[in-house]
Amino acid sequence: MSFTFGDSRELCDRLLALVRSGKKTASCGALRDFTEGGEELPEVGRRDTALDWDGNPALLIETTEVSIRRFREVTEDFALAEGEGDFDAWTAGHIDYFSRNGGFDPDMELVCERFRLIEVLSCAVS
């Protein structure tokens, strides 16, 4: 399976760089995007290709853990594993992201995924 991080070129480039550097080892998405959007839920052991904004393969990752939890139940440990700053920065950034992409609710369910980087396929920044 393949996917693109974020909802803009800038965010995609930043998140790919965080994964390449080893700072980002987790990600989350709204459960509604999987149930309503038809995306497959991640599974432990599955390998996915993260694409750059132009659709080119950038990274190969392998899922190591999957859980579903409400936004308000995301732990600081998980938020820090996303590599996007401290817990307050993670919270603010994700409230903004979900607000732009279908709506935010502190009780919304998230698919929380931890992964490991298998291979860098491209270092090019879009």
Side-chain angles (χ1 to χ4, degrees), residues 19-39:
V19 175
R20 279 188 201 101
S21 73
K23 293 179 182 174
K24 181 173 183 63
T25 60
S27 189
C28 68
L31 179 61
R32 66 174 176 247
D33 294 340
F34 294 90
T35 57
E36 296 169 12
E39 292 181 45

Side-chain angles (χ1 to χ4, degrees), residues 3-15:
F3 70 96
T4 304
F5 281 115
D7 62 351
S8 69
R9 180 180 299 275
E10 178 186 2
L11 183 56
C12 180
D13 288 347
R14 186 165 55 90
L15 297 177

Side-chain angles (χ1 to χ4, degrees), residues 85-120:
D86 65 19
F87 190 66
D88 290 338
W90 179 91
T91 300
H94 282 73
I95 289 171
D96 288 346
Y97 176 82
F98 292 124
S99 294
R100 290 191 309 268
N101 292 282
F104 170 75
D105 183 320
D107 287 323
M108 66 188 294
E109 291 183 301
L110 303 181
V111 177
C112 298
E113 175 183 10
R114 290 184 187 262
F115 57 83
R116 67 185 183 101
L117 176 62
I118 300 295
E119 184 178 353
V120 174

